[in-house]
Amino acid sequence: MISDKTIQRVRDLDIADVLKPYVNLRRSGASLIGSCPFHTDNKPSFSVSPVKKLYHCFSCQRGGDAISFIMEKENLTFMDAVRKIANDNNIPIEENCRSFFQMAKKVFFKWQKFHRHSKHKEWATTSPVAAHSLLKSRLNIISLLGCIL
């Protein structure tokens, strides 16, 4: 998982720089305007506010920040859009390994609760401390690989 610090660095980028490869913008007062890249546009209805770091099209009513723009334009998930913007702008991507382990631990405990009455009694009757150490030993390699990749 990408760290909150990296996501914040991506959000702090100038939105015009992120949108520049997709739309030709020109200054109009405090805003930037151009033709909307989501539909055919005769008049410039696409507005970008560099101060608010938001875009809005007055024709198709699409709007959002730089990450949501890349998500919609490139058909990417949130994390993939953050990765793309970070890579395009030479921002180092920091991975948050602790959150991966905490998420895996929650999944394990839900799985344990679900299978409490199943034929796998050795898993269902494992104490939380023993289950934590078992999960840690099983997922240690996976979490390390997640941090490396």
Coordinates of all heavy atoms in Angstrom, one line a residue, residues 7-83:
I7 N 0.8 9.9 -1.1 CA -0.4 10.4 -1.6 C -0.6 11.9 -1.5 O -1.0 12.6 -2.4 CB -1.6 9.7 -1.0 CG1 -1.6 8.2 -1.4 CG2 -3.0 10.3 -1.4 CD1 -2.5 7.3 -0.6
Q8 N -0.1 12.4 -0.3 CA -0.2 13.9 -0.1 C 0.7 14.6 -1.1 O 0.4 15.7 -1.5 CB 0.1 14.2 1.4 CG -0.2 15.6 1.7 CD -1.6 16.0 1.5 OE1 -2.5 15.3 1.9 NE2 -1.8 17.1 0.8
R9 N 1.9 14.1 -1.3 CA 2.8 14.7 -2.3 C 2.2 14.8 -3.7 O 2.3 15.8 -4.4 CB 4.1 13.9 -2.4 CG 5.1 14.2 -1.2 CD 6.4 13.5 -1.5 NE 7.2 13.5 -0.3 CZ 8.0 12.6 0.0 NH1 8.2 11.5 -0.7 NH2 8.7 12.7 1.2
V10 N 1.5 13.7 -4.1 CA 0.8 13.7 -5.4 C -0.3 14.8 -5.4 O -0.5 15.5 -6.3 CB 0.2 12.3 -5.7 CG1 -0.7 12.4 -6.9 CG2 1.4 11.4 -6.0
R11 N -1.1 14.9 -4.3 CA -2.2 15.8 -4.2 C -1.6 17.3 -4.2 O -2.3 18.2 -4.6 CB -3.0 15.6 -2.9 CG -3.9 14.4 -3.1 CD -5.0 14.4 -2.0 NE -6.0 13.4 -2.4 CZ -6.4 12.4 -1.6 NH1 -5.9 12.3 -0.3 NH2 -7.3 11.6 -2.0
D12 N -0.4 17.5 -3.7 CA 0.2 18.8 -3.6 C 0.7 19.3 -5.0 O 1.0 20.5 -5.1 CB 1.3 18.9 -2.6 CG 0.8 18.8 -1.2 OD1 -0.4 19.0 -0.9 OD2 1.6 18.4 -0.3
L13 N 0.8 18.4 -6.0 CA 1.3 18.8 -7.3 C 0.3 19.8 -7.9 O -0.9 19.9 -7.6 CB 1.3 17.6 -8.2 CG 2.5 16.6 -8.0 CD1 2.3 15.4 -8.8 CD2 3.8 17.3 -8.3
D14 N 0.8 20.7 -8.8 CA 0.0 21.6 -9.6 C -0.9 20.8 -10.5 O -0.4 20.0 -11.3 CB 0.9 22.5 -10.4 CG 0.1 23.6 -11.1 OD1 -1.1 23.7 -10.8 OD2 0.7 24.2 -12.0
I15 N -2.2 20.9 -10.4 CA -3.1 20.1 -11.2 C -3.0 20.4 -12.7 O -3.1 19.5 -13.5 CB -4.6 20.4 -10.8 CG1 -5.5 19.4 -11.5 CG2 -5.0 21.8 -11.0 CD1 -7.0 19.4 -10.9
A16 N -2.6 21.6 -13.1 CA -2.3 21.9 -14.5 C -1.2 21.1 -15.1 O -1.3 20.6 -16.2 CB -2.0 23.4 -14.6
D17 N -0.2 20.8 -14.3 CA 0.9 20.0 -14.7 C 0.5 18.5 -15.0 O 1.0 17.9 -15.9 CB 2.1 20.0 -13.7 CG 2.8 21.4 -13.7 OD1 2.6 22.1 -14.7 OD2 3.4 21.7 -12.7
V18 N -0.4 18.0 -14.1 CA -0.9 16.7 -14.3 C -1.8 16.5 -15.5 O -1.8 15.5 -16.2 CB -1.6 16.2 -13.0 CG1 -2.2 14.8 -13.1 CG2 -0.7 16.3 -11.8
L19 N -2.7 17.5 -15.7 CA -3.6 17.5 -16.8 C -3.0 17.9 -18.1 O -3.7 17.7 -19.2 CB -4.8 18.4 -16.5 CG -5.9 17.8 -15.6 CD1 -5.5 17.2 -14.3 CD2 -7.1 18.8 -15.4
K20 N -1.9 18.5 -18.1 CA -1.3 19.1 -19.4 C -1.2 18.1 -20.5 O -1.5 18.4 -21.7 CB 0.1 19.6 -19.0 CG 0.7 20.6 -20.1 CD 2.0 21.2 -19.7 CE 1.7 22.2 -18.6 NZ 2.9 23.0 -18.2
P21 N -0.8 16.8 -20.3 CA -0.8 15.9 -21.5 C -2.1 15.5 -22.1 O -2.2 15.0 -23.2 CB -0.1 14.6 -20.9 CG 0.5 15.0 -19.6 CD -0.2 16.2 -19.1
Y22 N -3.2 15.8 -21.4 CA -4.5 15.4 -21.8 C -5.4 16.6 -22.3 O -6.3 16.3 -23.1 CB -5.3 14.8 -20.6 CG -4.6 13.6 -20.1 CD1 -3.7 13.7 -19.0 CD2 -4.8 12.3 -20.6 CE1 -3.1 12.6 -18.5 CE2 -4.1 11.2 -20.1 CZ -3.3 11.4 -19.0 OH -2.6 10.3 -18.5
V23 N -5.1 17.8 -21.9 CA -5.9 18.9 -22.3 C -5.1 20.2 -22.4 O -4.2 20.4 -21.7 CB -7.1 19.1 -21.3 CG1 -6.6 19.4 -19.9 CG2 -8.1 20.2 -21.8
N24 N -5.4 21.0 -23.5 CA -4.7 22.2 -23.7 C -5.4 23.3 -23.0 O -6.5 23.7 -23.3 CB -4.7 22.5 -25.2 CG -3.8 23.7 -25.6 OD1 -3.0 24.1 -24.7 ND2 -3.9 24.2 -26.8
L25 N -4.7 23.8 -21.9 CA -5.3 24.8 -21.1 C -4.8 26.2 -21.3 O -3.6 26.4 -21.6 CB -5.1 24.5 -19.6 CG -5.7 23.2 -19.1 CD1 -5.1 22.8 -17.7 CD2 -7.2 23.2 -19.1
R26 N -5.6 27.2 -21.2 CA -5.2 28.6 -21.3 C -5.8 29.4 -20.1 O -6.8 29.1 -19.6 CB -5.5 29.2 -22.6 CG -6.9 29.4 -23.0 CD -7.1 30.1 -24.3 NE -8.3 30.2 -25.0 CZ -9.5 30.4 -24.5 NH1 -9.7 30.5 -23.2 NH2 -10.6 30.5 -25.2
R27 N -5.0 30.4 -19.7 CA -5.5 31.2 -18.5 C -6.7 32.1 -18.9 O -6.7 32.7 -19.9 CB -4.3 32.1 -18.0 CG -4.7 32.8 -16.8 CD -3.6 33.1 -15.8 NE -2.8 32.0 -15.3 CZ -3.1 31.3 -14.3 NH1 -4.3 31.4 -13.7 NH2 -2.3 30.3 -13.9
S28 N -7.6 32.1 -17.9 CA -8.8 33.0 -18.0 C -9.1 33.5 -16.6 O -9.8 32.8 -15.8 CB -10.0 32.2 -18.6 OG -11.1 33.0 -18.5
G29 N -8.5 34.6 -16.2 CA -8.6 35.1 -14.9 C -7.8 34.2 -13.9 O -6.6 33.9 -14.2
A30 N -8.4 33.8 -12.8 CA -7.8 33.0 -11.9 C -7.8 31.5 -12.3 O -7.1 30.7 -11.7 CB -8.4 33.1 -10.5
S31 N -8.6 31.1 -13.3 CA -8.8 29.8 -13.7 C -8.1 29.5 -15.0 O -7.6 30.4 -15.6 CB -10.3 29.4 -13.9 OG -11.0 29.6 -12.7
L32 N -8.1 28.2 -15.3 CA -7.6 27.8 -16.6 C -8.7 27.1 -17.3 O -9.5 26.4 -16.7 CB -6.4 26.8 -16.5 CG -5.2 27.2 -15.7 CD1 -4.3 26.1 -15.3 CD2 -4.4 28.3 -16.5
I33 N -8.9 27.3 -18.7 CA -10.0 26.7 -19.4 C -9.4 26.0 -20.6 O -8.3 26.3 -21.1 CB -11.0 27.8 -19.8 CG1 -10.4 28.9 -20.7 CG2 -11.7 28.3 -18.6 CD1 -11.5 29.8 -21.3
G34 N -10.2 25.1 -21.1 CA -9.9 24.3 -22.3 C -11.0 23.4 -22.7 O -12.1 23.4 -22.1
S35 N -10.8 22.7 -23.8 CA -11.9 21.7 -24.3 C -11.8 20.5 -23.4 O -10.7 20.0 -23.1 CB -11.6 21.4 -25.7 OG -11.8 22.5 -26.5
C36 N -13.0 20.0 -23.1 CA -13.1 18.8 -22.2 C -12.5 17.6 -22.9 O -12.9 17.3 -24.0 CB -14.5 18.6 -21.8 SG -14.7 17.2 -20.7
P37 N -11.6 16.8 -22.2 CA -11.1 15.6 -22.9 C -12.0 14.4 -22.8 O -11.7 13.4 -23.3 CB -9.8 15.4 -22.0 CG -10.1 16.0 -20.7 CD -11.0 17.1 -21.0
F38 N -13.1 14.5 -22.1 CA -14.1 13.4 -21.9 C -15.1 13.4 -23.0 O -15.8 12.4 -23.1 CB -14.7 13.5 -20.5 CG -13.7 13.3 -19.4 CD1 -13.4 14.4 -18.6 CD2 -13.0 12.1 -19.2 CE1 -12.5 14.3 -17.5 CE2 -12.1 12.0 -18.2 CZ -11.9 13.1 -17.3
H39 N -15.3 14.5 -23.7 CA -16.4 14.5 -24.8 C -15.9 15.5 -25.8 O -15.0 16.3 -25.6 CB -17.7 14.8 -24.2 CG -17.8 16.2 -23.6 ND1 -18.2 17.3 -24.3 CD2 -17.6 16.6 -22.4 CE1 -18.1 18.4 -23.6 NE2 -17.8 18.0 -22.3
T40 N -16.6 15.4 -27.0 CA -16.3 16.4 -28.1 C -16.9 17.7 -27.6 O -18.0 17.8 -27.2 CB -16.8 16.0 -29.4 OG1 -18.2 15.7 -29.3 CG2 -16.1 14.7 -29.9
D41 N -16.1 18.8 -27.8 CA -16.4 20.1 -27.2 C -16.1 21.2 -28.3 O -15.0 21.2 -28.8 CB -15.6 20.3 -26.0 CG -16.2 21.2 -24.9 OD1 -17.4 21.5 -25.1 OD2 -15.6 21.4 -23.9
N42 N -17.2 22.0 -28.6 CA -17.0 23.1 -29.5 C -16.4 24.3 -28.8 O -15.6 25.1 -29.4 CB -18.3 23.4 -30.3 CG -18.7 22.3 -31.2 OD1 -17.9 21.5 -31.6 ND2 -20.0 22.2 -31.4
K43 N -16.9 24.5 -27.6 CA -16.5 25.7 -26.8 C -15.8 25.2 -25.6 O -16.1 24.1 -25.1 CB -17.7 26.5 -26.4 CG -18.5 27.1 -27.5 CD -19.7 27.9 -27.0 CE -20.4 28.5 -28.2 NZ -21.6 29.3 -27.7
P44 N -14.8 25.9 -25.1 CA -14.1 25.5 -23.9 C -15.0 25.5 -22.7 O -15.4 26.5 -22.2 CB -12.9 26.4 -23.8 CG -13.3 27.6 -24.6 CD -14.3 27.1 -25.6
S45 N -15.4 24.3 -22.2 CA -16.2 24.2 -21.0 C -15.5 23.5 -19.9 O -16.1 23.3 -18.8 CB -17.5 23.3 -21.4 OG -17.1 22.0 -21.8
F46 N -14.3 23.2 -20.0 CA -13.5 22.5 -19.0 C -12.7 23.6 -18.3 O -11.9 24.3 -18.8 CB -12.5 21.5 -19.7 CG -11.8 20.6 -18.8 CD1 -12.4 19.5 -18.3 CD2 -10.5 20.8 -18.4 CE1 -11.8 18.6 -17.4 CE2 -9.8 20.0 -17.6 CZ -10.5 18.8 -17.1
S47 N -12.9 23.7 -17.0 CA -12.3 24.7 -16.1 C -11.5 24.0 -15.1 O -11.9 23.0 -14.4 CB -13.4 25.5 -15.5 OG -12.8 26.5 -14.6
V48 N -10.3 24.6 -14.8 CA -9.4 24.1 -13.8 C -9.0 25.3 -12.8 O -8.7 26.3 -13.3 CB -8.1 23.6 -14.4 CG1 -7.1 23.1 -13.4 CG2 -8.4 22.4 -15.4
S49 N -9.2 25.0 -11.5 CA -8.8 25.9 -10.5 C -7.5 25.5 -9.9 O -7.5 24.6 -9.1 CB -9.9 26.0 -9.5 OG -9.5 26.8 -8.4
P50 N -6.4 26.2 -10.2 CA -5.1 25.8 -9.7 C -5.0 26.0 -8.1 O -4.4 25.3 -7.4 CB -4.1 26.7 -10.4 CG -4.8 27.2 -11.6 CD -6.2 27.2 -11.3
V51 N -5.8 27.0 -7.6 CA -5.8 27.3 -6.2 C -6.5 26.2 -5.4 O -6.0 25.7 -4.4 CB -6.4 28.6 -5.9 CG1 -6.6 28.9 -4.4 CG2 -5.7 29.8 -6.6
K52 N -7.6 25.7 -5.9 CA -8.4 24.7 -5.3 C -7.9 23.3 -5.7 O -8.3 22.3 -5.1 CB -9.9 24.8 -5.6 CG -10.5 26.1 -5.1 CD -12.0 26.1 -5.5 CE -12.6 27.4 -5.1 NZ -14.0 27.5 -5.5
K53 N -7.1 23.2 -6.7 CA -6.6 21.9 -7.3 C -7.7 21.0 -7.7 O -7.7 19.8 -7.5 CB -5.7 21.2 -6.3 CG -4.5 22.0 -5.9 CD -3.6 21.2 -4.9 CE -2.4 22.0 -4.5 NZ -1.5 22.4 -5.4
L54 N -8.7 21.6 -8.4 CA -9.9 20.9 -8.9 C -10.2 21.2 -10.3 O -9.8 22.3 -10.8 CB -11.1 21.3 -8.1 CG -11.1 20.9 -6.6 CD1 -12.3 21.5 -5.9 CD2 -11.1 19.4 -6.4
Y55 N -10.9 20.3 -11.0 CA -11.3 20.6 -12.4 C -12.8 20.4 -12.4 O -13.4 19.7 -11.6 CB -10.6 19.7 -13.4 CG -11.1 18.2 -13.4 CD1 -12.1 17.8 -14.2 CD2 -10.5 17.3 -12.5 CE1 -12.5 16.5 -14.1 CE2 -10.9 16.0 -12.5 CZ -11.9 15.6 -13.3 OH -12.3 14.3 -13.2
H56 N -13.5 21.0 -13.4 CA -14.9 20.8 -13.6 C -15.3 21.1 -15.1 O -14.8 22.1 -15.7 CB -15.7 21.7 -12.7 CG -17.2 21.5 -12.9 ND1 -17.9 20.5 -12.3 CD2 -18.1 22.3 -13.6 CE1 -19.2 20.5 -12.6 NE2 -19.3 21.6 -13.4
C57 N -16.1 20.2 -15.7 CA -16.6 20.5 -17.0 C -18.1 20.9 -16.9 O -18.9 20.2 -16.3 CB -16.5 19.2 -17.9 SG -17.2 19.5 -19.5
F58 N -18.4 22.0 -17.4 CA -19.7 22.6 -17.3 C -20.7 21.9 -18.3 O -21.9 22.1 -18.2 CB -19.7 24.1 -17.5 CG -19.0 24.8 -16.3 CD1 -17.7 25.2 -16.5 CD2 -19.7 24.9 -15.1 CE1 -17.1 25.8 -15.4 CE2 -19.1 25.6 -14.1 CZ -17.7 26.0 -14.2
S59 N -20.2 21.1 -19.3 CA -21.1 20.4 -20.2 C -21.4 19.0 -19.7 O -22.6 18.7 -19.6 CB -20.4 20.3 -21.6 OG -20.2 21.5 -22.2
C60 N -20.4 18.2 -19.4 CA -20.7 16.8 -19.0 C -20.7 16.7 -17.4 O -21.0 15.6 -16.9 CB -19.7 15.9 -19.6 SG -18.0 16.1 -19.0
Q61 N -20.5 17.8 -16.7 CA -20.6 17.8 -15.2 C -19.6 16.9 -14.5 O -19.7 16.5 -13.4 CB -22.0 17.4 -14.8 CG -23.1 18.3 -15.3 CD -22.9 19.8 -15.0 OE1 -22.5 20.1 -13.9 NE2 -23.0 20.7 -16.0
R62 N -18.5 16.5 -15.2 CA -17.4 15.8 -14.6 C -16.5 16.7 -13.8 O -16.3 17.8 -14.3 CB -16.6 15.0 -15.6 CG -17.4 13.8 -16.1 CD -16.6 12.9 -17.0 NE -17.3 11.8 -17.4 CZ -17.2 11.2 -18.6 NH1 -16.3 11.7 -19.5 NH2 -17.9 10.2 -18.9
G63 N -16.0 16.3 -12.7 CA -15.1 17.1 -11.9 C -14.4 16.3 -10.9 O -14.8 15.2 -10.6
G64 N -13.4 16.9 -10.3 CA -12.6 16.3 -9.2 C -11.2 16.8 -9.1 O -11.0 17.9 -9.6
D65 N -10.3 16.0 -8.6 CA -9.0 16.4 -8.4 C -8.1 15.7 -9.5 O -8.6 15.0 -10.3 CB -8.4 16.2 -7.0 CG -8.4 14.7 -6.6 OD1 -8.9 13.9 -7.4 OD2 -7.9 14.4 -5.5
A66 N -6.8 15.9 -9.4 CA -5.9 15.3 -10.4 C -6.0 13.8 -10.4 O -5.9 13.1 -11.4 CB -4.5 15.8 -10.1
I67 N -6.1 13.2 -9.2 CA -6.1 11.7 -9.1 C -7.4 11.2 -9.7 O -7.3 10.2 -10.5 CB -6.0 11.3 -7.6 CG1 -4.6 11.8 -7.0 CG2 -6.1 9.8 -7.5 CD1 -4.5 11.5 -5.5
S68 N -8.5 11.8 -9.4 CA -9.8 11.3 -10.0 C -9.8 11.5 -11.5 O -10.4 10.7 -12.3 CB -11.0 12.0 -9.4 OG -11.0 13.4 -9.7
F69 N -9.1 12.6 -12.0 CA -9.0 12.8 -13.5 C -8.3 11.6 -14.1 O -8.7 11.0 -15.1 CB -8.3 14.1 -13.8 CG -8.1 14.4 -15.2 CD1 -9.1 15.1 -15.9 CD2 -7.0 13.9 -15.9 CE1 -9.0 15.3 -17.3 CE2 -6.8 14.2 -17.3 CZ -7.8 14.9 -18.0
I70 N -7.1 11.3 -13.6 CA -6.3 10.2 -14.1 C -7.1 8.8 -14.0 O -7.0 8.0 -14.9 CB -4.9 10.1 -13.5 CG1 -4.1 11.4 -13.7 CG2 -4.1 8.8 -13.9 CD1 -3.8 11.6 -15.2
M71 N -7.8 8.7 -12.9 CA -8.5 7.4 -12.7 C -9.6 7.3 -13.8 O -9.7 6.2 -14.4 CB -9.3 7.5 -11.3 CG -8.4 7.2 -10.1 SD -9.3 7.4 -8.6 CE -10.5 6.2 -8.7
E72 N -10.3 8.4 -14.1 CA -11.3 8.3 -15.1 C -10.7 8.2 -16.5 O -11.2 7.5 -17.4 CB -12.3 9.5 -15.0 CG -13.5 9.3 -15.8 CD -14.6 10.3 -15.3 OE1 -14.5 10.9 -14.3 OE2 -15.6 10.3 -16.1
K73 N -9.7 9.0 -16.8 CA -9.2 9.1 -18.2 C -8.4 7.8 -18.5 O -8.5 7.3 -19.7 CB -8.3 10.3 -18.3 CG -7.8 10.7 -19.7 CD -9.0 11.1 -20.5 CE -8.6 11.4 -21.9 NZ -9.7 11.4 -22.8
E74 N -7.7 7.3 -17.6 CA -6.9 6.1 -17.9 C -7.5 4.8 -17.4 O -6.9 3.7 -17.5 CB -5.5 6.2 -17.2 CG -4.7 7.4 -17.7 CD -4.1 7.2 -19.1 OE1 -3.9 6.0 -19.5 OE2 -3.9 8.2 -19.8
N75 N -8.7 4.9 -16.8 CA -9.4 3.7 -16.3 C -8.6 3.0 -15.3 O -8.3 1.8 -15.4 CB -9.9 2.8 -17.4 CG -11.0 1.9 -17.0 OD1 -11.6 2.1 -16.0 ND2 -11.1 0.8 -17.7
L76 N -8.1 3.7 -14.2 CA -7.2 3.1 -13.2 C -7.9 3.1 -11.9 O -8.8 3.9 -11.6 CB -5.9 3.9 -13.2 CG -5.0 3.9 -14.4 CD1 -3.9 4.9 -14.2 CD2 -4.5 2.5 -14.7
T77 N -7.4 2.3 -11.0 CA -7.8 2.4 -9.6 C -7.1 3.6 -8.9 O -6.2 4.2 -9.5 CB -7.4 1.1 -8.8 OG1 -6.0 1.0 -8.8 CG2 -8.0 -0.1 -9.4
F78 N -7.5 3.9 -7.7 CA -7.0 5.0 -7.0 C -5.5 4.8 -6.8 O -4.7 5.7 -7.1 CB -7.6 5.2 -5.6 CG -7.1 6.3 -4.8 CD1 -7.5 7.6 -5.0 CD2 -6.1 6.0 -3.8 CE1 -7.0 8.6 -4.2 CE2 -5.6 7.1 -3.1 CZ -6.0 8.4 -3.3
M79 N -5.0 3.7 -6.3 CA -3.6 3.4 -6.1 C -2.8 3.4 -7.4 O -1.7 4.0 -7.4 CB -3.4 2.1 -5.3 CG -3.9 2.2 -3.9 SD -2.9 3.4 -2.9 CE -3.7 3.3 -1.4
D80 N -3.4 2.9 -8.4 CA -2.6 2.9 -9.7 C -2.5 4.3 -10.3 O -1.5 4.7 -10.9 CB -3.3 2.0 -10.7 CG -3.2 0.5 -10.4 OD1 -2.2 0.2 -9.6 OD2 -4.0 -0.3 -10.8
A81 N -3.6 5.1 -10.1 CA -3.5 6.5 -10.5 C -2.4 7.3 -9.8 O -1.7 8.1 -10.3 CB -4.9 7.2 -10.4
V82 N -2.4 7.1 -8.4 CA -1.4 7.7 -7.6 C 0.0 7.3 -8.1 O 0.9 8.1 -8.2 CB -1.6 7.4 -6.1 CG1 -0.4 7.9 -5.3 CG2 -2.8 8.0 -5.6
R83 N 0.2 6.0 -8.4 CA 1.5 5.5 -8.9 C 1.9 6.2 -10.2 O 3.0 6.6 -10.4 CB 1.5 4.0 -9.0 CG 1.8 3.2 -7.8 CD 2.0 1.7 -8.1 NE 2.3 1.0 -6.9 CZ 1.4 0.5 -6.0 NH1 0.1 0.6 -6.3 NH2 1.8 -0.1 -4.9

